[in-house]
Amino acid sequence: MTEAAKPTNEKLRLEALHSLNILDTEFEKEFDEITTLASFLCDAEIALISLVDKDRQWFKSKYGLAICETPRAVSFCAHAILDPYKPLIVEDARKDPRFCNNPLTEVDKIVIFYAGIPLVDKDGFALGTLCVIDSKPKKLSQKQIEALKSLANQVIMLFELNKKNRDLEYMQSKLKKRNDSLREFARVISHDLKMPLANVITSTDLLKLKLGDKLDSESLEYFEYIKISSFSMSNYIGDILEHYESESLINHKPEKFVLNDLLQEIVSLLSIKPDFTINFPKENPILESNKLALKQIFFNLIGNSIKYNDKEQIIVSIETKEDDIFYHFKITDNGMGIPNNKLEVIFDLFTIANHTDRNGNKGNGIGLSTVKKLVKKLGGEIKVSSQEKIQTTFEFSIQKPN
């Protein structure tokens, strides 16, 4: 018996093999189907997907064999990977000086016939083989060898797909941890900053009262500026927290409710003034959905329709319809409109369509990003169309419960 030499690129080859993170993983149906087919096509007792590690060969899939690995010293596959682009065919191992004294051949009498196709990755490293084995001498036709080569290519494709899936899962896990950290950071910052800001606002009012007539008009303007800026910062912090906490709204179970009752709740929360007219849907349907998430969506969209409106009489109209899969909603206002160059990015975080709102305050570009996030989580889509100085229409859908 001759123990196989190590490939000249052994160190890099092992790094490529270990980068797949596939050694000692569970058996998978996709690989087992390949070894079953290989055994059938070659009329062989055993078929293996064998990976040649540092001191062993481990079987990702096995057909007709009970053991999961063997020492590399007795491995036929360790010989096969020495010539990555050529099949190793041993018709009768008892007559081959490399294998005649191999315990798998001489003692166990498992491997008399062997045919191995090297599994070569995109960088040219032979990671192992797809092999078929029999306990008696055998010959393969050229068609059978070509079929084995095709199956070996499928194994390599599965390796690469598995690696991409694992990398994706790792990145998703990493992103989730970062998002969780960012959400916690936003919560802590919101809590720690809101109280000082409230103190600034209260102190400003107290100072104005205490100083009374001692303040000239310019000083009063400065005090008012401090107060307005503090309110603006407080709203900004609140919106950031709302954006990152919106994820928790998705966890609420669907419930049945009347749409117009929900809209009336929102109107009450927004403290609507007489210069505002809202047209509720005539259908007034009963919905079954995540009520809290939908409430947040409408609250942001209707709130924007009011804030970014330059007309004396604000008019907002809401329409709805449904099909077998989705609820569809349309909100149209007669406000400032959105510039054409902003329509494609209006849902991006921190993107602002208008410089200031109805009261001269600058937006922070968080609300619509939160809306899109919630709509997506509810299985729907959202889009916007607008004519500057005339109107804006938001249309969105949410998926019905299964």
Side-chain angles (χ1 to χ4, degrees), residues 35 85 101 139 143 200 223 261 298 324 331 360 364 368 382:
T35 50
Y85 298 102
N101 295 322
K139 287 186 178 183
K143 283 187 177 180
V200 169
F223 272 107
D261 291 348
F298 274 115
D324 292 339
I331 301 177
N364 50 46
L368 288 180
I382 186 167

Side-chain angles (χ1 to χ4, degrees), residues 28-39:
E28 297 175 60
K29 179 184 175 184
E30 293 82 1
F31 292 103
D32 291 344
E33 287 176 345
I34 290 175
T35 50
T36 300
L37 184 57
S39 171

Side-chain angles (χ1 to χ4, degrees), residues 238-250 252 257 262-263 265-266 269-270 290-304 331 366-375 378 382 396:
D239 286 346
I240 289 176
L241 184 61
E242 179 186 290
H243 179 79
Y244 287 108
E245 287 190 337
S246 63
E247 194 86 17
S248 63
L249 294 177
I250 302 301
H252 289 269
F257 57 92
L262 176 69
L263 295 174
E265 288 179 34
I266 294 168
L269 287 171
L270 290 169
N290 185 324
K291 183 179 178 180
L292 287 178
L294 189 60
K295 185 175 182 178
Q296 187 65 56
I297 293 168
F298 274 115
F299 185 85
N300 281 341
L301 292 178
I302 296 172
N304 279 355
I331 301 177
I366 297 174
L368 288 180
S369 174
T370 303
V371 166
K372 183 174 182 179
K373 184 178 176 183
L374 287 171
V375 169
L378 293 174
I382 186 167
F396 70 95

